[in-house]
Structure formats: C-alpha cells, structure tokens
Amino acid sequence: MSDTLLDIHPVAGRIGAEVRNIRLSAELDPATFAAVRAALLRYKVLFFRGQQHLDDAGQEAFGKLWGELVAHPTVPVREGTGYLLELDSEHGGRANSWHTDVTFDVAYPQASILRGVVIPAAGGDTVWANTAQAYLDLPAPLRALADQLWALHTNEYDYASRFNTTEAGLKRYREIFTSTLYETEHPVVRVHPETGERTLVLGHFVKKLLGYPSSDSDHLLRLLESYVTRLENTVRWRWSVGDVVIWDNRATQHYAINDYGDQHRVVRRVTVAGDVPVSVDGRHSVSRNVRRQAADSLRADEHTTQPQTAVLS
C-alpha cells in the first residue's frame, strides 16, 4: 500500500527512505497516513523535505495522528507547547553517541518526529541504524545468547565522556537530565509489537548486562553494538531547514554528529507513547527504580532566564 500511494525513494540499502510530494499535517487523509505508517515499519526511518509550513503547533498536531504524545521525562518542554522538546546547540543540544530515545523509561517512545529549524551550512548530520537487521546479522550462537540477555538502562551516567562542554555545563546537564533518576531492566532483544521482528535494545543508556561481571558485560555490549553500527546497516541524512524525519524508536538507534563547531543548530522533536518491551520468552521490561533528585537546584532554576533545552537528541 505504501509503495502505491506514496512517492518513496530508498536512501540506503537496509534502512531509510525519502517520501516526496507530500504535505505533512494533522489533515492527512486516513489512507495516506496508513501508507506512511506502513512505510515507517518497513524502512524504519522516513525523510520528508520541504515541510516549512509546519510550526510547533502543527508538528504536535501531526504527531497526534500517531498516538498519544509524551513529554520528555525530565527535560522541560519548549515554552508554549505541550510536548515539544527543543535541541539547541547553543544550550547543550548536542549528543554525539549512539542511542535509542529514552530507553531508561520502561515504556520508551514508539516513534520520534524531528523537525529541522536552524541548520548549519555544513555538518550536523544525523545517522540512524537498523537494530532489526543488526539482530539478523548476529551469528546464530551469538543470537541465541542475546535472546537470553537483560540489561540495566539508566539516565545516570558519565556525561563528561559524551559532551564537550565546561564543568558548569556538565553540572547543568546533570541537574536537568537526572532531576529524576530512572533504572529499568530491558531484554537485549525485544519482539516488535507490530512487525514481529526481533530488535536489539542497546545504546548509551545501557549501564550493564544483568548477571555478568563488569568486564564481561563491557565486552559483550561492545560486540553487540558493533553489529548495530556497521556502516552497511546505517543511513545518514544531510539536514535542510524544514526537513522532518520520523523514525521507529523500537527498531533503530541514532547518532547526531557534533562536527559543526560554533555554527547554530536547532531541531525540535515530539515523541509518541510506546509500549513495555516484551522479550523473546514473553517477559516484560521492569522499572527497577524511579526517584526524584536535586529538587532545590531545580526550584532555583525555575527563576532563571537561561533557556532549558535537551541534552540529548
């Protein structure tokens, strides 16, 4: 259905397609929207150019076609919006490491919709990887092992290792992003609720594999992640102002390349509520711990004029 109703052009061999000659809005007719959703399940990431007509409200309205929208668990939404997360390079919106959005939450988002607002003249591309294909690429014995593994995901980790910023900036990241600490146990392999595919649940929110010593956990995680990020398993997008990208957050990882120096980059994201992952043997992910942090610092921040923007894309 998606191939007959939409003008689809695959971008890479294993993931990603550009959809042309379509105007995204909350008024998309049901047949066209169903075709877009089917294309997303097939290609994992969809790219739409020329969507300059979308403003914040229009992006949120379009997002609601996909399901219930959810705000980021810890980072304040953009002022005047209900769910929109702004990633502004001048206020910490850079994340140059591989991740799936918000996997520290037990029911992390099913999809993300990202809009290009201010784009550097060069640099600032985003890369996505297909975690369903990565699973299929694993040698059979490693696949069998991965099917049994569980990992602890958390939003509390070493920010200094991932962000090039000042000590004051790192303090700010920790205060906002870990204002509530999350720890969740996810299977390393989840069964996609719509396609039935098995996908790898990894990325930089993983703290450790459960039941393994730290050294063994680190080795196994690096090995599994290497299958996700192999170049033939990825697609890279050169942004223009007005581009919209939608990805299946249950079957991908992504990486926002921090190679644009002091150029300004602003993108805005809405996310669609997800479901609790289910392992190959039918067990559900478990929220281990949620606790509030740094309440005094956050109350003080409410009175500052410094913009509050996300630290991850």
Side-chain angles (χ1 to χ4, degrees), residues 138-183:
L138 296 175
L142 187 53
R143 257 199 324 266
L145 174 61
D147 286 344
Q148 304 171 47
L149 296 175
W150 283 70
L152 179 66
H153 294 238
T154 180
N155 59 328
E156 184 178 33
Y157 58 79
D158 181 10
Y159 289 83
S161 69
R162 293 184 171 93
F163 299 102
N164 181 20
T165 187
T166 64
E167 186 60 36
L170 287 173
K171 181 175 183 292
R172 178 71 178 170
Y173 292 160
R174 295 186 187 104
E175 286 176 349
I176 293 176
F177 200 65
T178 60
S179 58
T180 301
L181 294 178
Y182 289 81
E183 290 184 342

Coordinates of all heavy atoms in Angstrom, one line a residue, residues 138-183:
L138 N 23.7 -11.1 13.5 CA 24.5 -11.8 14.5 C 24.7 -13.3 14.1 O 23.7 -14.0 13.6 CB 23.7 -11.8 15.9 CG 23.5 -10.4 16.5 CD1 22.7 -10.6 17.8 CD2 24.9 -9.8 16.8
P139 N 25.8 -13.9 14.3 CA 26.0 -15.3 14.1 C 25.0 -16.1 15.0 O 24.6 -15.6 16.1 CB 27.4 -15.6 14.6 CG 28.1 -14.3 14.5 CD 27.1 -13.2 14.8
A140 N 24.5 -17.2 14.6 CA 23.5 -17.9 15.3 C 23.8 -18.1 16.8 O 22.9 -17.9 17.6 CB 23.2 -19.3 14.6
P141 N 25.0 -18.6 17.2 CA 25.3 -18.7 18.6 C 25.2 -17.4 19.4 O 24.7 -17.4 20.5 CB 26.7 -19.3 18.7 CG 26.9 -19.9 17.3 CD 26.1 -19.0 16.4
L142 N 25.6 -16.3 18.8 CA 25.5 -15.0 19.5 C 24.1 -14.5 19.5 O 23.7 -13.9 20.5 CB 26.4 -14.0 18.7 CG 26.5 -12.6 19.4 CD1 27.0 -12.8 20.8 CD2 27.5 -11.8 18.6
R143 N 23.3 -14.9 18.5 CA 21.8 -14.5 18.6 C 21.2 -15.3 19.7 O 20.4 -14.7 20.4 CB 21.2 -14.9 17.2 CG 20.9 -13.8 16.3 CD 19.8 -14.0 15.3 NE 19.8 -15.3 14.7 CZ 20.5 -15.7 13.6 NH1 21.2 -14.8 13.0 NH2 20.3 -16.9 13.1
A144 N 21.5 -16.6 19.9 CA 20.9 -17.4 20.9 C 21.3 -16.8 22.3 O 20.4 -16.8 23.2 CB 21.4 -18.8 20.8
L145 N 22.5 -16.3 22.4 CA 22.9 -15.7 23.7 C 22.2 -14.4 23.9 O 21.7 -14.1 25.0 CB 24.4 -15.5 23.7 CG 25.0 -14.7 24.9 CD1 24.7 -15.4 26.2 CD2 26.5 -14.4 24.7
A146 N 22.1 -13.5 22.9 CA 21.4 -12.2 23.0 C 20.0 -12.4 23.4 O 19.5 -11.6 24.2 CB 21.6 -11.5 21.7
D147 N 19.3 -13.5 22.9 CA 17.9 -13.7 23.2 C 17.7 -13.8 24.8 O 16.6 -13.6 25.3 CB 17.4 -15.0 22.6 CG 17.2 -14.8 21.1 OD1 17.1 -13.6 20.6 OD2 17.1 -15.8 20.4
Q148 N 18.8 -14.3 25.5 CA 18.6 -14.5 26.9 C 19.1 -13.3 27.8 O 18.9 -13.4 29.0 CB 19.5 -15.7 27.3 CG 19.1 -17.0 26.5 CD 20.1 -18.1 26.8 OE1 20.5 -18.4 27.9 NE2 20.6 -18.7 25.7
L149 N 19.7 -12.3 27.2 CA 20.4 -11.3 28.0 C 19.4 -10.2 28.4 O 18.5 -9.9 27.6 CB 21.5 -10.6 27.2 CG 22.7 -11.5 26.8 CD1 23.7 -10.8 25.9 CD2 23.4 -12.0 28.1
W150 N 19.6 -9.6 29.5 CA 18.9 -8.4 30.0 C 19.9 -7.4 30.4 O 21.0 -7.7 30.9 CB 18.0 -8.8 31.2 CG 16.7 -9.6 30.8 CD1 16.7 -10.8 30.3 CD2 15.4 -9.1 30.8 NE1 15.4 -11.2 30.0 CE2 14.5 -10.1 30.3 CE3 14.8 -7.9 31.2 CZ2 13.2 -9.9 30.2 CZ3 13.4 -7.7 31.1 CH2 12.6 -8.8 30.6
A151 N 19.5 -6.1 30.3 CA 20.4 -5.0 30.6 C 19.7 -4.0 31.5 O 18.5 -3.8 31.4 CB 20.9 -4.4 29.3
L152 N 20.5 -3.3 32.3 CA 20.0 -2.2 33.1 C 20.3 -0.9 32.3 O 21.4 -0.6 31.9 CB 20.8 -2.2 34.4 CG 20.4 -1.0 35.4 CD1 18.9 -1.2 35.8 CD2 21.3 -1.0 36.5
H153 N 19.2 -0.1 32.1 CA 19.2 1.2 31.4 C 19.0 2.3 32.5 O 18.1 2.1 33.3 CB 18.2 1.3 30.3 CG 18.4 0.3 29.2 ND1 18.5 0.8 27.9 CD2 18.4 -1.0 29.1 CE1 18.6 -0.2 27.1 NE2 18.6 -1.4 27.8
T154 N 19.7 3.4 32.4 CA 19.6 4.5 33.3 C 19.9 5.8 32.7 O 20.7 5.8 31.7 CB 20.4 4.2 34.6 OG1 20.2 5.3 35.5 CG2 21.9 4.1 34.3
N155 N 19.4 6.9 33.2 CA 19.8 8.2 32.7 C 20.9 8.8 33.5 O 21.2 10.0 33.4 CB 18.6 9.2 32.7 CG 17.9 9.3 34.0 OD1 17.9 8.4 34.8 ND2 17.3 10.5 34.3
E156 N 21.4 8.0 34.5 CA 22.6 8.5 35.3 C 23.8 7.8 34.7 O 24.0 6.6 34.9 CB 22.3 8.1 36.7 CG 23.4 8.6 37.6 CD 23.2 8.3 39.1 OE1 22.6 7.2 39.4 OE2 23.6 9.1 40.0
Y157 N 24.7 8.6 34.1 CA 25.9 8.0 33.5 C 26.9 9.2 33.4 O 26.7 10.3 33.8 CB 25.7 7.4 32.2 CG 25.1 8.2 31.1 CD1 25.8 9.1 30.4 CD2 23.7 8.1 30.8 CE1 25.3 9.9 29.4 CE2 23.2 8.9 29.8 CZ 24.0 9.8 29.1 OH 23.4 10.6 28.1
D158 N 28.1 8.9 32.8 CA 29.2 9.8 32.8 C 29.0 10.8 31.6 O 29.3 10.6 30.5 CB 30.5 9.1 32.6 CG 31.7 10.0 32.6 OD1 31.5 11.2 32.8 OD2 32.8 9.5 32.2
Y159 N 28.4 12.0 31.9 CA 28.1 13.0 30.9 C 29.4 13.5 30.3 O 29.4 13.9 29.1 CB 27.3 14.1 31.4 CG 25.8 13.7 31.7 CD1 25.5 13.0 32.9 CD2 24.8 13.9 30.8 CE1 24.2 12.6 33.1 CE2 23.5 13.5 31.0 CZ 23.2 12.8 32.2 OH 21.9 12.4 32.4
A160 N 30.5 13.6 31.1 CA 31.7 14.2 30.6 C 32.3 13.4 29.4 O 33.0 13.9 28.6 CB 32.7 14.2 31.7
S161 N 32.0 12.1 29.4 CA 32.5 11.2 28.3 C 31.8 11.4 27.0 O 32.3 11.0 26.0 CB 32.5 9.7 28.7 OG 31.1 9.3 28.8
R162 N 30.6 12.1 27.0 CA 29.8 12.2 25.8 C 29.6 13.6 25.4 O 29.2 13.9 24.3 CB 28.5 11.5 26.1 CG 28.6 10.0 26.3 CD 27.2 9.4 26.4 NE 27.3 7.9 26.3 CZ 27.5 7.2 27.4 NH1 27.5 7.7 28.6 NH2 27.5 5.9 27.3
F163 N 29.9 14.6 26.2 CA 29.6 16.0 25.9 C 30.9 16.9 26.0 O 31.6 16.8 27.1 CB 28.5 16.6 26.7 CG 27.2 15.9 26.5 CD1 26.8 15.0 27.5 CD2 26.5 16.1 25.4 CE1 25.6 14.3 27.3 CE2 25.3 15.4 25.3 CZ 24.9 14.5 26.2
N164 N 31.2 17.6 25.0 CA 32.3 18.6 25.0 C 31.8 19.9 25.5 O 31.3 20.7 24.8 CB 32.9 18.7 23.6 CG 34.1 19.6 23.6 OD1 34.7 19.8 24.6 ND2 34.5 20.1 22.4
T165 N 32.0 20.1 26.8 CA 31.4 21.3 27.4 C 32.2 21.7 28.7 O 33.1 21.0 29.1 CB 29.9 21.1 27.8 OG1 29.4 22.4 28.2 CG2 29.7 20.1 28.9
T166 N 31.9 22.8 29.3 CA 32.5 23.2 30.5 C 32.0 22.5 31.7 O 31.0 21.8 31.7 CB 32.3 24.7 30.7 OG1 30.8 24.9 30.9 CG2 32.7 25.6 29.5
E167 N 32.7 22.6 32.8 CA 32.3 22.0 34.1 C 30.9 22.5 34.5 O 30.0 21.7 35.0 CB 33.3 22.2 35.2 CG 33.0 21.4 36.4 CD 32.9 19.9 36.2 OE1 33.7 19.4 35.4 OE2 32.1 19.3 36.9
A168 N 30.7 23.8 34.3 CA 29.4 24.4 34.6 C 28.3 23.8 33.7 O 27.2 23.5 34.1 CB 29.4 25.9 34.4
G169 N 28.6 23.5 32.4 CA 27.7 22.9 31.5 C 27.3 21.5 31.9 O 26.2 21.1 31.9
L170 N 28.4 20.7 32.4 CA 28.1 19.4 32.8 C 27.2 19.4 34.1 O 26.4 18.5 34.2 CB 29.4 18.7 33.1 CG 30.3 18.3 31.9 CD1 31.7 17.8 32.4 CD2 29.6 17.2 31.1
K171 N 27.5 20.3 35.0 CA 26.6 20.4 36.2 C 25.2 20.7 35.8 O 24.3 20.1 36.3 CB 27.1 21.5 37.1 CG 26.4 21.7 38.4 CD 27.0 22.8 39.3 CE 26.3 22.9 40.6 NZ 25.0 23.5 40.4
R172 N 25.0 21.5 34.8 CA 23.6 21.9 34.3 C 23.0 20.6 33.7 O 21.8 20.3 34.0 CB 23.7 23.0 33.3 CG 22.4 23.4 32.7 CD 21.6 24.1 33.7 NE 20.3 24.5 33.0 CZ 19.3 25.0 33.7 NH1 19.4 25.2 35.0 NH2 18.2 25.4 33.1
Y173 N 23.7 19.9 32.9 CA 23.2 18.6 32.3 C 22.7 17.7 33.4 O 21.6 17.1 33.3 CB 24.2 17.9 31.5 CG 24.6 18.6 30.2 CD1 25.8 18.3 29.6 CD2 23.8 19.6 29.6 CE1 26.2 18.9 28.4 CE2 24.2 20.2 28.5 CZ 25.4 19.9 27.9 OH 25.8 20.5 26.7
R174 N 23.5 17.5 34.4 CA 23.2 16.5 35.4 C 21.9 17.0 36.2 O 21.1 16.2 36.6 CB 24.4 16.3 36.4 CG 25.6 15.7 35.7 CD 26.7 15.3 36.7 NE 27.9 14.9 36.1 CZ 29.0 15.6 35.9 NH1 29.0 16.9 36.3 NH2 30.0 15.1 35.3
E175 N 21.9 18.3 36.5 CA 20.7 18.8 37.3 C 19.4 18.6 36.5 O 18.4 18.2 37.1 CB 21.0 20.3 37.6 CG 22.0 20.5 38.7 CD 22.2 22.0 38.9 OE1 21.8 22.8 38.1 OE2 22.9 22.3 39.9
I176 N 19.4 18.9 35.2 CA 18.2 18.8 34.4 C 17.9 17.3 34.1 O 16.8 16.8 34.4 CB 18.3 19.6 33.2 CG1 18.3 21.1 33.5 CG2 17.1 19.4 32.3 CD1 18.5 22.0 32.4
F177 N 18.9 16.7 33.4 CA 18.6 15.4 32.9 C 18.4 14.3 33.9 O 17.7 13.3 33.7 CB 19.7 15.0 31.9 CG 19.2 13.9 30.9 CD1 18.3 14.2 30.0 CD2 19.8 12.7 30.9 CE1 17.8 13.2 29.1 CE2 19.4 11.7 30.0 CZ 18.4 12.0 29.1
T178 N 19.0 14.4 35.1 CA 18.9 13.5 36.1 C 18.0 14.0 37.3 O 18.2 13.6 38.4 CB 20.2 12.9 36.6 OG1 21.0 14.0 37.1 CG2 21.0 12.2 35.5
S179 N 17.2 15.0 37.0 CA 16.3 15.5 38.0 C 15.4 14.4 38.6 O 15.0 14.4 39.8 CB 15.4 16.6 37.5 OG 14.6 16.2 36.4
T180 N 15.1 13.4 37.8 CA 14.5 12.2 38.3 C 15.4 11.1 37.7 O 15.7 11.0 36.5 CB 13.1 12.0 37.8 OG1 12.3 13.1 38.2 CG2 12.5 10.7 38.3
L181 N 15.8 10.2 38.6 CA 16.7 9.1 38.2 C 15.8 7.8 37.8 O 14.9 7.4 38.6 CB 17.7 8.7 39.3 CG 18.7 9.8 39.6 CD1 19.6 9.3 40.7 CD2 19.5 10.1 38.3
Y182 N 16.1 7.3 36.7 CA 15.4 6.1 36.2 C 16.3 4.9 36.1 O 17.5 5.1 35.6 CB 14.7 6.3 34.9 CG 13.6 7.3 34.9 CD1 13.8 8.7 34.9 CD2 12.3 6.8 34.8 CE1 12.7 9.6 34.9 CE2 11.2 7.7 34.8 CZ 11.4 9.1 34.8 OH 10.4 9.9 34.8
E183 N 15.9 3.7 36.5 CA 16.6 2.5 36.3 C 15.5 1.5 35.8 O 14.5 1.3 36.4 CB 17.3 2.0 37.5 CG 18.5 2.8 37.9 CD 19.2 2.2 39.1 OE1 18.6 1.4 39.8 OE2 20.3 2.6 39.4

